[in-house]
């Protein structure tokens, strides 16, 4: 047998397939492409007189091998550029590869900052300074401190005086650690009536305002959409956090008209988040791609509630890549002055 299923100690299931080394490229292509991508690729192959399977690319007429070892050469023989596995969904990537118009997908090493983290000022585990040190270890150039706001009691949201106290500590640490720039901020609740959970006066004192919905998610689409539109029109909002509210395998996204949200966000220069927490990962890839097409820039936030969770950033990068995003589409690849200057 050449097929087996292995369950790792961490319970991850892995399909193991043994193939001859000379078929490595063909097998890699076959198993990383989605079914839809591979069907389309085989159709193109047939028209060109080829046969493609996990062992190689062959001439249909005499079964002579064209290529098997190198995945890129298989794509080349089929008349197109190699493309990253994240794009292999038959949603336009094959056409783009034929025309040599594939996106240059954003990479993790282009990410310069994290724009959404929590500390033990609210309900997260680790102190502010520990988060800062971790960001420095990760070679980040900037970090936004965005604890929960006052009405979110369940997450020990910060009352005004505590936020003012935190602002002082953030500024002090910003002076102390010259390796990194720290942004004062909040993940401010976008409340059921559409208003923000802090006064404009307080919000105006912060560098970075993420507006998020955490309660009252069972309303109809019109209500939720208007509520987010109101947050977008608040002059201090920088980012709409986890814009669909889904929790993977736990809670469906709320009803929201994303097209209206994207249109307003593009007009107001408000960023939409790709939340990097494995529980959330929203915007999803397909929505991030639509956002980009609507002229919206995307902001990555680990939404870390501990030092260890700051390592979630790469998950958001994967979503961005599946959403066809290039470095200029992702705010976190910009230098901080450009990020801060984008609105107003
Ligand atoms: Zn949140
Ligand atoms: Zn958060």
């Amino acid at each position: 047998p050449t097929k087996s299923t292995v369950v790792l100690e961490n319970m991850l299931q892995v399909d193991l397939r043994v193939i001859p080394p000379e078929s490595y490229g063909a097998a890699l292509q076959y198993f990383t492409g989605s079914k839809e991508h591979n069907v389309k690729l085989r159709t193109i192959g047939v028209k060109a007189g080829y046969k493609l399977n996990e062992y190689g690319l062959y001439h249909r007429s005499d079964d002579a091998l064209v290529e098997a070892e190198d995945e890129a050469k298989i794509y080349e023989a089929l008349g197109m550029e190699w493309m990253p596995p994240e794009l292999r969904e038959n949603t336009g990537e094959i056409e783009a590869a034929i025309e040599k118009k594939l996106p240059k997908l954003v990479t993790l090493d282009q990410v310069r900052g994290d724009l959404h983290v929590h500390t033990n000022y609210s309900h997260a585990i680790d102190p502010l300074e520990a988060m800062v040190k971790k960001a420095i270890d990760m070679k980040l150039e900037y970090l936004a401190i965005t604890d929960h706001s006052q009405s979110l009691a369940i997450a020990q949201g910060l009352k005004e005086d505590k936020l003012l106290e935190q602002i002082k500590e953030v500024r002090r640490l910003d002076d102390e650690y010259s390796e990194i720039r720290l942004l004062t901020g909040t993940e401010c609740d976008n409340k059921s009536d559409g208003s923000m959970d802090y006064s404009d006066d307080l919000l105006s004192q912060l560098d970075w305002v993420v507006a998020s919905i955490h309660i009252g998610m069972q309303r109809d689409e019109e209500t939720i959409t208007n509520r987010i539109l109101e947050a977008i029109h608040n002059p201090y909002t920088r980012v709409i956090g986890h814009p669909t509210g889904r929790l993977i395998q736990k809670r469906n996204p709320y009803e929201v008209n994303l097209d209206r949200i994207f249109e307003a966000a593009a007009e107001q220069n408000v960023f939409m988040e790709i939340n990097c927490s494995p529980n959330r990962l929203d915007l999803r890839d397909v929505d991030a791609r639509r956002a980009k097409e609507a002229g919206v820039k995307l902001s990555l936030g680990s939404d870390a509630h501990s030092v260890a969770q700051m390592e979630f950033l790469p998950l958001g990068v994967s979503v961005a890549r599946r959403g066809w995003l290039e470095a200029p589409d992702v705010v976190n690849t910009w230098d901080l002055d450009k990020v801060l200057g984008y609105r107003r």
Side-chain angles (χ1 to χ4, degrees):
T2 63
K3 283 183 195 176
S4 184
T5 293
V6 181
V7 179
L8 303 183
E9 279 173 7
N10 67 6
M11 299 308 287
L12 195 68
Q13 182 182 315
V14 178
D15 294 332
L16 179 67
R17 183 73 189 256
V18 180
I19 45 109
E22 58 272 22
S23 290
Y24 180 75
L28 187 63
Q29 194 290 313
Y30 185 89
F31 291 108
T32 51
S34 68
K35 183 170 167 230
E36 292 73 13
H37 175 89
N38 286 346
V39 167
K40 176 86 177 244
L41 213 57
R42 283 199 295 271
T43 308
I44 289 174
V46 166
K47 279 188 193 147
Y50 295 123
K51 181 173 83 176
L52 177 64
N53 59 35
E54 67 262 53
Y55 296 102
L57 180 71
Y58 303 89
H59 284 292
R60 231 178 161 69
S61 50
D62 57 2
D63 280 344
L65 179 70
V66 178
E67 180 60 41
E69 214 170 328
D70 183 343
E71 190 189 50
K73 286 185 183 155
I74 292 174
Y75 280 107
E76 202 180 298
L78 292 168
M80 65 191 80
E81 293 186 304
W82 174 89
M83 71 208 77
E86 291 98 323
L87 294 183
R88 300 177 190 174
E89 298 285 353
N90 191 28
T91 58
E93 76 283 4
I94 290 176
E95 293 77 0
I98 291 170
E99 292 168 27
K100 300 197 189 327
K101 284 183 181 160
L102 285 167
K104 282 181 89 158
L105 299 183
V106 61
T107 58
L108 180 61
D109 59 12
Q110 291 174 314
V111 171
R112 300 161 72 163
D114 188 342
L115 294 167
H116 182 167
V117 303
H118 297 273
T119 74
N120 64 1
Y121 273 82
S122 61
H123 68 157
I125 295 170
D126 288 310
L128 174 49
E129 188 163 5
M131 303 300 277
V132 173
K133 284 183 175 164
K134 173 67 176 177
I136 292 170
D137 284 349
M138 291 171 71
K139 306 259 185 303
L140 296 181
E141 294 171 28
Y142 49 88
L143 176 70
I145 306 299
T146 56
D147 271 314
H148 290 289
S149 60
Q150 54 190 354
S151 75
L152 203 64
I154 190 175
Q156 295 161 38
L158 275 56
K159 300 290 177 209
E160 272 195 30
D161 56 340
K162 210 166 167 198
L163 179 57
L164 292 169
E165 193 186 309
Q166 186 186 55
I167 291 173
K168 281 190 200 144
E169 192 185 352
V170 172
R171 297 223 170 102
R172 185 178 62 73
L173 292 171
D174 186 50
D175 282 344
E176 190 177 330
Y177 293 96
S178 57
E179 310 93 313
I180 192 163
R181 283 176 72 186
L182 302 178
L183 304 185
T184 61
T186 176
E187 180 178 16
C188 186
D189 256 62
N190 175 200
K191 296 201 288 185
S192 296
D193 65 359
S195 67
M196 300 284 274
D197 195 21
Y198 290 126
S199 66
D200 277 4
D201 179 53
L202 186 51
L203 293 177
S204 74
Q205 299 178 48
L206 297 166
D207 301 316
W208 200 251
V209 176
V210 179
S212 303
I213 290 182
H214 295 107
I215 50 164
M217 285 177 255
Q218 291 79 12
R219 310 296 169 83
D220 59 287
E221 180 182 299
E222 186 69 11
T223 307
I224 298 268
T225 303
N226 286 336
R227 188 170 161 188
I228 298 175
L229 289 176
E230 209 168 315
I232 287 173
H233 284 92
N234 179 292
Y236 304 106
T237 299
R238 299 282 189 164
V239 184
I240 299 300
H242 43 72
T244 71
R246 74 163 175 180
L247 289 178
I248 292 173
Q249 293 186 335
K250 279 191 195 142
R251 186 174 71 211
N252 287 330
Y254 39 68
E255 304 285 332
V256 58
N257 184 330
L258 286 177
D259 290 324
R260 286 178 62 201
I261 300 293
F262 294 162
E263 191 187 353
E267 183 209 276
Q268 292 292 319
N269 288 355
V270 166
F271 305 122
M272 301 298 285
E273 184 175 69
I274 295 176
N275 190 290
C276 306
S277 162
N279 297 318
R280 295 188 177 274
L281 297 176
D282 71 328
L283 294 175
R284 299 179 300 162
D285 51 1
V286 290
D287 294 330
R289 189 171 170 187
R290 270 166 65 207
K292 170 184 176 164
E293 282 160 8
V296 177
K297 305 296 180 192
L298 287 299
S299 166
L300 300 175
S302 68
D303 203 356
H305 284 67
S306 67
V307 161
Q309 290 183 357
M310 289 176 74
E311 306 269 356
F312 288 163
L313 268 180
L315 302 178
V317 174
S318 313
V319 173
R321 289 173 60 84
R322 287 201 305 274
W324 289 54
L325 301 191
E326 305 181 86
D329 304 316
V330 179
V331 178
N332 309 59
T333 69
W334 302 359
D335 74 47
L336 184 59
D337 291 334
K338 184 177 170 194
V339 177
L340 292 175
Y342 191 67
R343 198 169 191 205
R344 288 179 299 277

